[in-house]
C-alpha cells in the first residue's frame, strides 16, 4: 500500500502550500511511506485525482483542491479530514494503515477492538509522558503537620518589631 498525496508544486496559494507542507511534513516525521503526485506539472495526475475524489467529498464548485490523500486507489480525504484525524490521534486509521506498536493510536485501537485496556505495561504508560517527569516532586508544596502547628504558635511581630502575644485559642483535639 502506497500513500499518494496529490499536491501542486507550483501553487500560487499560500494556504494550499501550508496545507501541503503540513501533510508531507507529518508523513515524513512519522516515517510513513508516501508518494507525491504533482497535479501542476502532470496533467494525468490532475485528471486522476479529480476523477477519483468521491462526489460527496467534492467542494461546491466541484473541483477538489490539493492536498488530496489516497491509499493506492482508496480515497482517504482532503486536508480538513487529515487535520481532524491528526487532532484525534487517528491518522493511521485515516490512511488505512496499522498504527505502530506502542503508539497512542495503537493503544486506542486496542481499547476499541477489545473493549478494555490491554495488559501490556508499556502501552499502559501515558504516551509522551517523560519518565523523569513522573519521578520528580509534585508541583505543590508538601507541608508537615507538626511544622504547620509550630508555625501557628509563633508570636506575630508588629511592624515596629516588638512581639505581640496571641490570645489563647481553644485547642482542638485532632485525634
Amino acid at each position: 500500500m502506497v500513500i499518494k498525496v496529490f499536491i501542486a508544486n507550483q501553487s500560487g496559494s499560500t494556504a494550499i502550500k501550508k496545507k501541503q507542507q503540513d501533510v508531507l511534513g507529518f508523513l515524513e516525521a512519522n516515517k510513513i511511506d508516501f508518494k507525491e503526485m504533482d497535479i501542476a506539472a502532470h496533467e494525468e495526475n490532475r485528471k486522476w485525482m479529480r476523477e477519483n475524489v468521491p462526489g460527496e467529498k467534492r467542494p461546491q464548485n466541484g473541483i477538489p483542491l490539493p492536498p488530496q490523500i489516497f491509499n493506492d486507489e482508496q480515497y482517504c480525504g482532503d486536508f480538513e479530514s487529515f487535520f481532524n484525524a491528526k487532532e484525534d490521534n487517528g491518522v493511521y486509521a485515516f490512511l488505512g494503515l496499522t498504527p505502530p506498536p506502542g503508539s497512542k493510536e495503537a493503544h486506542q485501537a486496542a481499547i476499541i477492538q477489545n473493549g478494555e485496556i490491554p495488559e501490556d505495561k508499556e502501552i499502559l504508560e501515558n504516551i509522551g509522558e517523560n519518565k523523569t517527569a513522573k519521578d520528580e516532586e509534585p508541583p505543590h508544596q508538601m507541608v508537615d503537620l507538626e511544622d504547620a502547628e509550630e508555625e501557628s504558635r509563633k508570636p506575630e511581630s508588629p511592624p515596629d518589631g516588638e512581639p505581640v502575644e496571641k490570645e489563647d485559642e481553644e485547642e482542638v483535639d485532632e485525634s
Side-chain angles (χ1 to χ4, degrees), residues 1-4 27 30-35 95 97:
M1 291 186 190
V2 175
I3 302 302
K4 296 177 184 175
L27 297 174
N30 287 283
K31 297 178 174 70
I32 298 172
D33 290 331
F34 68 95
K35 192 174 182 182
L95 296 172
L97 301 173

Side-chain angles (χ1 to χ4, degrees), residues 26 30 36 43 56 72 83 92 123-124 148 159 164:
F26 181 88
N30 287 283
E36 289 183 43
E43 183 64 32
E56 68 273 5
D72 283 330
F83 179 81
Y92 287 92
I123 292 177
L124 287 176
V164 174

Side-chain angles (χ1 to χ4, degrees), residues 48-136:
W48 191 93
M49 180 194 80
R50 288 183 178 175
E51 289 171 0
N52 288 284
V53 171
E56 68 273 5
K57 301 291 185 173
R58 292 176 184 267
Q60 288 180 352
N61 69 4
I63 302 171
L65 297 173
Q68 296 291 328
I69 306 160
F70 290 80
N71 184 334
D72 283 330
E73 311 293 313
Q74 180 72 35
Y75 181 71
C76 298
D78 59 3
F79 176 78
E80 192 74 31
S81 303
F82 170 81
F83 179 81
N84 291 336
K86 193 168 100 172
E87 290 293 308
D88 296 337
N89 294 313
V91 174
Y92 287 92
F94 167 78
L95 296 172
L97 301 173
T98 304
S103 69
K104 197 172 212 174
E105 191 170 341
H107 176 64
Q108 289 173 341
I111 291 171
I112 291 168
Q113 185 178 15
N114 301 331
E116 58 188 46
I117 298 174
E119 294 299 319
D120 185 353
K121 289 182 182 177
E122 283 185 31
I123 292 177
L124 287 176
E125 285 192 22
N126 248 345
I127 305 296
E129 185 177 69
N130 188 336
K131 175 133 178 71
T132 56
K134 284 196 282 186
D135 298 334
E136 291 178 4

Side-chain angles (χ1 to χ4, degrees), residues 11 13-25 66-67 79:
S11 174
S13 168
T14 307
I16 288 176
K17 287 179 184 177
K18 286 180 179 180
K19 290 175 180 179
Q20 292 175 162
Q21 191 54 47
D22 188 26
V23 172
L24 299 176
F79 176 78

